[in-house]
Amino acid sequence: KTQTKICMKHEEKEANDNVSTVVQFVLLGFSELSNLQGFLPGVFSIIYMVILIGNSLIVIITRLDPALHKPMYFFLAHFSILEICYVSVTLPRILVSLWTKDRRISLLSCATQLCFFLVLGTAESFLLAVMSYDRYLAICNPLHYPLIMNPKKCHLLAAGSWLGGMPVQIGQTCQIFSLHFCHSNQINHFFCDIPPIVKLACGDTSVHEVSVYIVVILVGAVPFMLILVSYTKIIATILRLPTAQGRTKAFSTCSSHLLVVVLFFGSASITYFRPKSSHSAGTDKLLSLFYTIVTPMFNPVIYTLRNQDVIAALRRLFLKT
């Protein structure tokens, strides 16, 4: 208890204008779940191992199996690498806090975590849109698909997904941390995210909130609309296929991607599109768990169990070993 009080102690410096400026934050995390403090580190450690092993396995089989040397699996490998990076921004920090009971995080560390989290989240949004575009071309324009989705085009689309959101999100991070934080340094969350950080700012933050909404629309809503358009055309094309077997195969290759899209965009959009006044710490944490930890954990399962090519590749890999 004494150690916890020391960790939670308000640390600040006095600015020249007599306003307290925070130089260090405290991530409250799951401190309210006192009965589960001994249980949570083990659970999150297992989840992290599952995410690392599952997504790494997808990367390995897409590289080793010639049958998976296709644009669809090229993007899936990039998506798996992205998921590993995305989770590694938040989960190791959560584990350190749970194991050591030290919830303090410096202003610079918090800003760095937020920046990487936003950049990788944007990359995931863009890559999901690229993957839907790939499926649209494969199903709606199969004759021209090999010409359009050539290796050079695939590499450019992947690079654009990884790097496209960097300038905007670096700028947004600088804007968020240009705010004055006063009266409290306790972030009621398990990582540095925009809504709980903005809550700690003193003064009028309406301009910053509007800029956050604009960025979310650009990097989240626009890719999501492109995905919806792609899948509207994909579903219309599938329904026109002459055989039931062809329709089933086409749906099976798209349904896994669509499920991941719903999980990721659904939870993330609720978190960022809600007004500041309606944010509650418990709801924010629950929604954040979905798109930061739960979705990356289930992605390998979704893509393997619903894809016969991946199952066959896994079977060949295990038979060889």
Side-chain angles (χ1 to χ4, degrees):
K1 286 185 177 179
T2 307
Q3 190 180 7
T4 305
K5 284 180 182 177
I6 293 169
C7 291
M8 304 281 282
K9 187 181 177 183
H10 187 75
E11 298 188 25
E12 56 185 30
K13 67 177 182 180
E14 291 297 323
N16 294 329
D17 57 355
N18 231 6
V19 177
S20 299
T21 306
V22 172
V23 294
Q24 185 168 263
F25 291 113
V26 175
L27 288 166
L28 297 183
F30 304 97
S31 56
E32 71 274 15
L33 304 174
S34 55
N35 296 331
L36 298 176
Q37 292 304 304
F39 176 69
L40 288 175
V43 172
F44 282 122
S45 296
I46 293 168
I47 289 172
Y48 192 40
M49 290 304 297
V50 168
I51 291 168
L52 292 178
I53 294 168
N55 284 285
S56 297
L57 197 57
I58 287 178
V59 175
I60 291 166
I61 61 169
T62 53
R63 293 282 294 175
L64 295 181
D65 198 306
L68 300 183
H69 291 173
K70 300 173 185 177
M72 176 182 175
Y73 300 109
F74 170 79
F75 293 124
L76 180 57
H78 273 272
F79 188 71
S80 296
I81 295 168
L82 181 57
E83 290 289 60
I84 292 170
C85 297
Y86 186 59
V87 171
S88 297
V89 171
T90 56
L91 210 61
R93 176 75 208 188
I94 295 169
L95 288 170
V96 168
S97 297
L98 288 169
W99 285 115
T100 64
K101 310 297 181 187
D102 185 359
R103 299 188 179 94
R104 292 171 297 177
I105 184 169
S106 69
L107 193 72
L108 180 61
S109 296
C110 191
T112 304
Q113 186 186 54
L114 178 65
C115 186
F116 275 103
F117 175 75
L118 294 176
V119 167
L120 293 171
T122 301
E124 185 161 338
S125 176
F126 288 171
L127 193 55
L128 285 170
V130 167
M131 291 168 79
S132 69
Y133 173 66
D134 171 70
R135 290 298 83 210
Y136 159 73
L137 288 175
I139 293 170
C140 302
N141 200 358
L143 295 177
H144 295 97
Y145 176 67
L147 294 173
I148 299 171
M149 295 303 286
N150 56 64
K152 184 181 177 181
K153 181 80 169 284
C154 289
H155 282 95
L156 284 173
L157 286 170
S161 299
W162 279 92
L163 304 173
M166 243 180 225
V168 175
Q169 295 298 13
I170 290 171
Q172 179 162 248
T173 304
C174 293
Q175 186 187 42
I176 294 295
F177 282 89
S178 68
L179 291 166
H180 287 290
F181 303 102
C182 54
H183 310 307
S184 176
N185 68 337
Q186 297 176 5
I187 299 174
N188 198 355
H189 213 336
F190 55 86
F191 70 98
C192 292
D193 199 4
I194 292 175
I197 291 173
V198 172
K199 268 188 177 181
L200 302 182
C202 45
D204 184 19
T205 59
S206 56
V207 175
H208 292 83
E209 288 177 59
V210 170
S211 71
V212 169
Y213 289 139
I214 292 169
V215 171
V216 170
I217 288 169
L218 286 173
V219 304
V222 172
F224 183 65
M225 292 304 296
L226 292 173
I227 292 169
L228 283 183
V229 171
S230 297
Y231 272 98
T232 301
K233 293 184 177 182
I234 287 169
I235 291 167
T237 303
I238 289 173
L239 292 175
R240 289 198 299 267
L241 291 176
T243 64
Q245 187 180 2
R247 288 193 293 271
T248 304
K249 186 178 180 181
F251 269 123
S252 69
T253 59
C254 296
S255 57
S256 53
H257 178 250
L258 198 55
L259 184 57
V260 171
V261 166
V262 171
L263 284 171
F264 177 76
F265 281 102
S267 54
S269 59
I270 295 170
T271 300
Y272 288 100
F273 278 120
R274 284 184 302 152
K276 182 183 173 182
S277 57
S278 66
H279 279 272
S280 68
T283 307
D284 284 350
K285 288 179 190 178
L286 184 63
L287 290 168
S288 298
L289 277 174
F290 261 94
Y291 65 85
T292 59
I293 296 171
V294 176
T295 304
M297 182 177 67
F298 283 114
N299 280 350
V301 178
I302 292 169
Y303 278 111
T304 52
L305 293 182
R306 302 186 65 85
N307 190 303
Q308 294 302 315
D309 290 341
V310 175
I311 291 171
L314 281 170
R315 193 177 290 121
R316 286 192 292 271
L317 178 66
F318 287 123
L319 284 173
K320 283 180 183 178
T321 53

